[in-house]
Amino acid sequence: MNLDSLLPNLGEWLRGTGPESDVVVSTRIRLARNLADLPFATRATSAHKTEVIGRAKDALAKSDAALKLEYIDIPSMAALDRQFLVERQLISRELAGGLDGPRGVAFDPTETASVMVNEEDHLRLQVLRSGFALDEAWQDIDRLDDALEHRLSYAFHTQFGYLTACPTNVGTGMRASVMLHLPALGLTKQIDKVFRALQKINLAVRGLHGEGSRAFGDLYQISNHVTLGKSEAKILGEIREVIVTILQYERQARGAIVKERRQAEHDRVARAIGTLGSATMITAEETMELLSAVRLGIHLNLLDGIPVTAVNQLFIHTQSAHLQKLAGHNLDGEERNSARAKYLKTKLRELGSHK
């Protein structure tokens, strides 16, 4: 697969047209699975991992699932290509660079479904959906899981459920997460209160790239902590209930901003556009913060002429690996900041928002 062919596409998670997409960026469900007769990835030899890859590729090729996934070998990829897949949410940072030995990923052309092979577990199945779409994502991944389980023997215990390398994933092996854009809760100083409440009910709050990542651009992933002793339906129900509540809080905060300080917010959005369109050097982090303001401005009807999909494209294309792929060569830190500023200026002029 030529990864450069993915550049013009936003990918499913940034499509921006799913349910509740003014607040919910995307929904993701992952399933951790291991093969019954081989040591877990953390104890497996290179030969064991090669065997896992062979069986996974065979099962994917012969599965009856509607989605056809193409396999890519990770160790043979350049570091830039690995980071590119991380930025597109197709692989974890651990699979990209934190692990040794044979490993890879298979994903479909729409970037909706993927299977990481030899990450923490033998298989990490993933489905992404634009917007708030837990039921649709679950149906997709359940279908993919069934197709693979038809040809693979999973490690399963009648009492504990699916067995995984990390005890926190034992049971369903499911991690459901919803990525939210919560700028108004941040502006109104309510975000910490919301997150403290989430931690009390065993839900995790993470940044853009999952565990261990910082939150930039007011983007947060909310996911379940516990899988043992809970059915998939119960986990999804708990996540759904919480997300609906957070949606209400964010929209109430947005309403308060428009009612109480519309002019000040309009000015903040205009300044964000001005900086994005005139800077000669800009970091990825600052870009994300400014694009967050622009995205909020669009949804508050404070800004005309820029669709949310264009903001999403600016967001993904100004990430480090995407920027270098667009440039056609590797860039150091200062060169990236300069190229990012030039790209933003060009794109905003094309949109007619900066003169």
Side-chain angles (χ1 to χ4, degrees):
M1 178 183 292
N2 179 9
L3 295 184
D4 290 350
S5 65
L6 301 179
L7 270 172
N9 306 322
L10 283 175
E12 172 64 21
W13 74 284
L14 280 177
R15 188 163 48 84
T17 57
E20 319 290 359
S21 58
D22 58 320
V23 178
V24 183
V25 177
S26 62
T27 300
R28 174 170 65 187
I29 297 181
R30 279 183 177 172
L31 297 177
R33 298 290 186 256
N34 289 281
L35 304 189
D37 60 338
L38 291 172
F40 287 167
T42 50
R43 299 180 64 86
T45 65
S46 181
H48 290 141
K49 292 181 179 181
T50 299
E51 176 69 17
V52 171
I53 289 174
R55 294 189 197 179
K57 289 171 69 175
D58 183 67
L60 287 167
K62 295 177 179 177
S63 74
D64 297 325
L67 298 172
K68 291 299 181 182
L69 282 62
E70 183 174 346
Y71 183 85
I72 298 177
D73 181 62
I74 296 294
S76 64
M77 296 176 68
L80 181 63
D81 286 335
R82 298 182 198 180
Q83 181 59 29
F84 179 79
L85 293 180
V86 171
E87 291 173 3
R88 297 188 78 84
Q89 303 283 310
L90 290 170
I91 65 173
S92 66
R93 293 178 300 173
E94 290 74 20
L95 192 76
L99 298 168
D100 295 323
R103 60 195 190 280
V105 64
F107 59 90
D108 73 303
T110 67
E111 303 175 58
T112 300
S114 65
V115 179
M116 292 188 289
V117 184
N118 288 329
E119 200 229 29
E120 182 178 82
D121 293 285
H122 291 155
L123 305 177
R124 283 283 179 96
L125 287 62
Q126 171 182 281
V127 163
L128 284 164
R129 280 279 191 158
S130 175
F132 192 24
L134 283 167
D135 290 336
E136 293 82 353
W138 167 245
Q139 291 166 9
D140 286 347
I141 204 164
D142 188 39
R143 187 164 54 247
L144 175 60
D145 187 38
D146 286 348
L148 292 179
E149 192 167 17
H150 182 68
R151 298 184 177 278
L152 298 171
S153 179
Y154 286 157
F156 184 85
H157 190 280
T158 53
Q159 180 181 356
F160 299 117
Y162 291 101
L163 303 180
T164 57
C166 180
T168 59
N169 291 323
V170 170
T172 61
M174 184 175 81
R175 179 67 56 87
S177 65
V178 179
M179 186 180 295
L180 304 170
H181 183 229
L182 304 174
L185 285 174
L187 288 170
T188 56
K189 312 296 184 186
Q190 300 178 68
I191 197 78
D192 289 339
K193 180 176 67 176
V194 171
F195 290 166
R196 283 195 297 270
L198 290 176
Q199 290 166 357
K200 289 179 180 178
I201 56 174
N202 284 322
L203 293 180
V205 182
R206 299 183 171 94
L208 174 64
H209 294 299
E211 191 167 358
S213 65
R214 294 176 59 191
F216 291 111
D218 301 301
L219 293 171
Y220 301 92
Q221 291 194 65
I222 313 297
S223 62
N224 62 296
H225 252 320
V226 180
T227 64
L228 184 62
K230 293 185 177 183
S231 68
E232 292 89 349
K234 184 172 179 59
I235 292 171
L236 293 175
E238 291 174 349
I239 290 281
R240 181 182 295 105
E241 183 178 350
V242 167
I243 298 302
V244 168
T245 301
I246 296 176
L247 278 169
Q248 293 172 348
Y249 289 159
E250 172 65 19
R251 287 174 177 154
Q252 287 170 4
R254 292 182 184 190
I257 287 171
V258 171
K259 183 178 180 180
E260 298 169 11
R261 56 191 199 206
R262 179 185 179 91
Q263 190 59 44
E265 183 61 20
H266 197 177
D267 180 69
R268 190 179 78 94
V269 172
R271 287 174 183 271
I273 284 286
T275 302
L276 288 167
S278 61
T280 58
M281 295 185 71
I282 189 167
T283 65
E285 291 79 10
E286 184 181 5
T287 299
M288 288 177 67
E289 298 299 333
L290 294 171
L291 287 175
S292 173
V294 172
R295 194 177 193 273
L296 178 60
I298 293 170
H299 289 302
L300 295 183
N301 297 314
L302 301 175
L303 191 62
D304 295 323
I306 302 181
V308 170
T309 51
V311 175
N312 289 348
Q313 185 178 58
L314 293 176
F315 162 75
I316 191 67
H317 280 176
T318 52
Q319 301 295 300
S320 174
H322 280 74
L323 199 64
Q324 293 175 81
K325 279 193 164 290
L326 288 169
H329 55 86
N330 290 349
L331 302 168
D332 65 26
E334 284 198 0
E335 289 172 337
R336 287 198 298 273
N337 291 343
S338 177
R340 185 176 294 110
K342 184 178 180 180
Y343 172 83
L344 287 164
K345 186 181 298 184
T346 300
K347 288 299 178 182
L348 287 171
R349 282 178 175 167
E350 289 176 0
L351 290 167
S353 63
H354 185 77
K355 306 219 182 269

